[in-house]
Amino acid sequence: MHGNVPPHPLPELPPIPDPVDAPYPGVIRLTVDVTDVRRGIFRAHETIPVERAGELMLLYPKWLPGFHSPQAPIELFAGLRVRAGDRDCTWRRHPVTVNAFAIEVPDGVDAIEAEFQFLSPTDASQGRVLCSPDMLCLPWHTVVLYPTGHYARQIAVEASLIVPPAWQLACALRFDGPSDGIVKFEATTLDVLVDSPVLAGRHVRRETLDDQVHLTIVADQPHQLAAKREHIDRHRAVVEQADRLFGTRPYDRFEMLLALSDTLSSEGIEHHRSFEAVSLPGYFTDWAGSFVRRDTIPHEYVHSWNGKHRRGKDSWQPCFEKPIRNSLMWVYEGQTQYWSQILCARSGLWTPEQTLGALAQTAARYDVRPGSRWRPTIDTRRDPIIAARAPLPWPSWQRSEDYYAEGSLVWLDVDTRLRELSGDTRSLDDFARAFFGAEAADPTTDTYDFEEVIATLNGVAAYEWKRFFEEQLTRTHDHAPLAGLERGGYRLVYRDTPSAYQAGYEAVSGTIDLTHAIGLTLTPGGKITDVRGTGRGIGQR
């Protein structure tokens, strides 16, 4: 019997034990077959060492760095079978923790074999589409089970991948192959493996941005790889400008993994030594028309410093089962959002006019959104857990992860205030260098708290920073935080025609944003997707 529900009640399974910072005995060997790309089925096979007979609890990763919420796609996990030698092992799902499986290990074995499939969604309504006949993104958390009781950094893993013939791939982990379709990755730990996704496909272009940083582009069609030299140079300039900003690098090598596809789900997810980003098929071939999506690469790259090397203390956990809290997401994502726009301007990915247009659109949208009148910005840090990025019926009233865009306006305020306080001799650049700078190639996550943020800012320019953030983040307000924009010499004005940035945004997103005009967003076909509330609540007059 394997996986059958017993006909009689069994004793309740115990709670999931807390992990300890001690090595798991032995090495997990993981092989994943991703050759079934037409159906998007990834087949995983694990050999898991065991020390003794009895019950072994295996977990499917749940709380994942970069997602800010429990994201284990357990509904896409199927076909579990566990064997010990030539014997099938009974497994039971935990009655509360549904991503946990209790395995009954028989006497006389030192390892078990687990087989299962990850069923990549074939439509966006089913979840994140990861696979097409021409490319795939493999996040390792979708194809691994791991034993409870240990820090993820204490579980050793050797992984192999079976890929379709003639496909190429990229990953932050070093690897050999493909040889006969098999790629063997360097031995690593579970936390590093999960933080090192694979991008693979038929149509691949690889560019060296410097001796440590590479950009790998995988596209639906070969002509979509036709980036001009000036396009690549502007991405190279992102790396150069980030070096000037932070001063040091927290990695020994970095892989920018860029998929150009209208099949895979649009996405951007950060990792310590890589990122995975899915952008428009015409990212390069329609360079002028796709410019609003160019901030994805600077955003995810900055996260190597802000979010991976440095992370809020309550957003780090030793394994993938412990919940994260996200109290400092306005630093993790809000400041990263600010730097992504700054790096777009400094690298030439955006013109000055496009950068100001992006800033103006954010300012205009949040200046009229009524949700801030009942819900403070700090509370939106819980939205990844509350809504899991599901569509909302009244987003301007409900709010949704506003610590990103509204947070960037707060950090503009901080930047201009630092300049003013210091007589234009210091800026947020100085904070970034002091706060996010790392020892060269430091692979660890260095956590921080609110007090360290305040102390570092005061080291740049003394001010009542604690009171400032409490006013900006914990209080409700009628308008967007525009003091930084105005201190920088600008003011928010409205014209009869949309800016170049707004026109580009609407063309790419398929929306018409009239939030700051008549209070609507709608599709070109006329479907209304949001109505700006009155500030007194939906349905009230």
Side-chain angles (χ1 to χ4, degrees):
M1 178 176 66
H2 50 88
N4 295 339
V5 177
H8 52 82
L10 290 175
E12 284 291 307
L13 292 172
I16 306 301
D18 287 334
V20 296
D21 197 3
Y24 183 77
V27 177
I28 294 175
R29 289 177 172 79
L30 169 66
T31 300
V32 183
D33 185 339
V34 294
T35 57
D36 193 352
V37 293
R38 295 205 171 272
R39 296 190 297 173
I41 298 175
F42 303 161
R43 292 178 168 83
H45 180 278
E46 285 185 87
T47 302
I48 303 172
V50 295
E51 286 190 291
R52 64 185 67 87
E55 192 172 83
L56 173 69
M57 190 77 74
L58 298 179
L59 295 170
Y60 194 57
K62 182 178 181 180
W63 289 84
L64 301 166
F67 289 88
H68 317 316
S69 63
Q71 288 287 326
I74 192 66
E75 73 280 7
L76 304 173
F77 176 99
L80 178 61
R81 184 179 186 183
V82 184
R83 294 177 63 83
D86 58 357
R87 291 172 286 181
D88 287 318
C89 298
T90 299
W91 62 263
R92 288 193 290 153
R93 192 188 299 265
H94 196 281
V96 176
T97 307
V98 296
N99 61 306
F101 302 88
I103 313 299
E104 200 60 42
V105 179
D107 290 322
V109 300
D110 57 8
I112 59 171
E113 310 283 328
E115 296 179 351
F116 60 91
Q117 302 96 43
F118 173 76
L119 311 177
S120 175
T122 56
D123 184 85
S125 64
Q126 304 162 0
R128 181 185 171 198
V129 178
L130 292 167
C131 187
S132 79
D134 297 297
M135 71 170 72
L136 65 85
C137 180
L138 176 67
W140 291 101
H141 69 262
T142 63
V143 290
V144 67
L145 292 169
Y146 69 97
T148 62
H150 297 265
Y151 279 28
R153 67 189 181 202
Q154 294 282 13
I155 300 174
V157 185
E158 293 179 359
S160 299
L161 196 61
I162 304 173
V163 298
W167 277 35
Q168 301 177 58
L169 71 150
C171 178
L173 296 175
R174 292 190 173 93
F175 58 87
D176 294 324
S179 176
D180 296 326
I182 300 176
V183 180
K184 294 184 178 180
F185 294 88
E186 63 179 322
T188 189
T189 54
L190 180 65
D191 60 330
V192 174
L193 180 74
V194 168
D195 201 39
S196 306
V198 174
L199 180 65
R202 301 180 192 276
H203 314 300
V204 180
R205 175 174 174 175
R206 184 169 170 83
E207 292 285 345
T208 298
L209 301 186
D210 73 9
D211 59 349
Q212 289 183 312
V213 184
H214 294 87
L215 170 64
T216 297
I217 311 158
V218 180
D220 285 335
Q221 301 294 332
H223 74 273
Q224 295 162 350
L225 300 173
K228 296 180 179 178
R229 182 50 48 192
E230 64 191 74
H231 302 160
I232 300 299
D233 286 344
R234 291 180 189 180
H235 291 80
R236 182 173 290 111
V238 171
V239 179
E240 295 168 353
Q241 291 297 329
D243 285 344
R244 294 183 181 183
L245 175 61
F246 297 111
T248 58
R249 295 178 175 183
Y251 56 77
D252 57 346
R253 58 189 181 275
F254 197 94
E255 293 289 336
M256 298 182 176
L257 307 178
L258 177 62
L260 307 181
S261 177
D262 55 10
T263 302
L264 270 60
S265 296
S266 178
E267 192 62 90
I269 301 172
E270 66 270 15
H271 304 281
H272 197 127
R273 296 188 300 180
S274 66
F275 62 71
E276 48 190 301
V278 182
S279 196
L280 303 170
Y283 183 86
F284 292 114
T285 54
D286 183 18
W287 184 251
S290 65
F291 78 91
V292 297
R293 292 288 295 275
R294 290 184 213 148
D295 60 335
T296 300
I297 283 180
H299 184 103
E300 305 307 338
Y301 185 56
V302 165
H303 271 318
S304 184
W305 289 265
N306 183 6
K308 304 307 290 187
H309 168 59
R310 300 300 316 271
R311 192 182 313 166
K313 186 173 294 184
D314 63 4
S315 287
W316 180 89
Q317 288 289 0
C319 68
F320 305 115
E321 190 56 32
K322 291 289 187 179
I324 56 178
R325 305 297 183 192
N326 294 336
S327 66
L328 291 158
M329 292 306 291
W330 50 276
V331 182
Y332 184 133
E333 292 292 3
Q335 194 175 142
T336 297
Q337 186 82 348
Y338 179 68
W339 287 128
S340 68
Q341 296 183 341
I342 296 298
L343 289 186
C344 274
R346 292 178 181 177
S347 67
L349 281 177
W350 282 352
T351 65
E353 179 187 8
Q354 290 167 342
T355 306
L356 291 172
L359 176 61
Q361 178 159 315
T362 298
R365 179 180 296 161
Y366 286 91
D367 200 41
V368 299
R369 276 187 149 183
S372 62
R373 299 173 191 172
W374 74 272
R375 188 181 184 195
T377 304
I378 196 70
D379 189 59
T380 69
R381 74 188 192 273
R382 306 183 189 281
D383 281 336
I385 299 170
I386 293 170
R389 297 184 174 170
L392 301 173
W394 301 93
S396 66
W397 179 243
Q398 293 169 272
R399 308 196 83 182
S400 176
E401 299 187 51
D402 289 354
Y403 53 81
Y404 275 90
E406 196 168 287
S408 72
L409 296 176
V410 171
W411 286 107
L412 173 61
D413 191 344
V414 174
D415 195 355
T416 56
R417 197 175 296 269
L418 288 169
R419 295 169 190 269
E420 182 180 74
L421 290 167
S422 66
D424 234 9
T425 62
R426 310 295 297 277
S427 72
L428 197 62
D429 290 50
D430 297 282
F431 171 86
R433 193 169 296 108
F435 196 79
F436 298 113
E439 294 295 328
D442 185 355
T444 61
T445 297
D446 183 10
T447 62
Y448 60 86
D449 56 20
F450 179 61
E451 286 69 28
E452 186 181 349
V453 176
I454 300 304
T456 307
L457 282 170
N458 276 317
V460 178
Y463 186 67
E464 296 179 352
W465 292 113
K466 183 176 181 181
R467 179 178 59 81
F468 169 83
F469 284 115
E470 287 175 349
E471 291 177 353
Q472 295 289 335
L473 300 170
T474 68
R475 299 181 185 179
T476 58
H477 48 268
D478 291 336
H479 297 283
L482 301 183
L485 186 152
E486 294 163 358
R487 193 179 296 109
Y490 297 92
R491 60 189 177 92
L492 182 63
V493 298
Y494 297 89
R495 307 292 188 192
D496 293 336
T497 57
S499 68
Y501 184 89
Q502 181 167 339
Y505 174 84
E506 291 179 353
V508 166
S509 65
T511 62
I512 300 172
D513 188 354
L514 303 175
T515 303
H516 47 271
I518 61 174
L520 297 175
T521 58
L522 61 158
T523 68
K527 179 181 178 181
I528 296 174
T529 56
D530 188 27
V531 177
R532 188 180 71 212
T534 64
R536 298 177 61 190
I538 299 299
Q540 299 181 22
R541 296 183 181 276

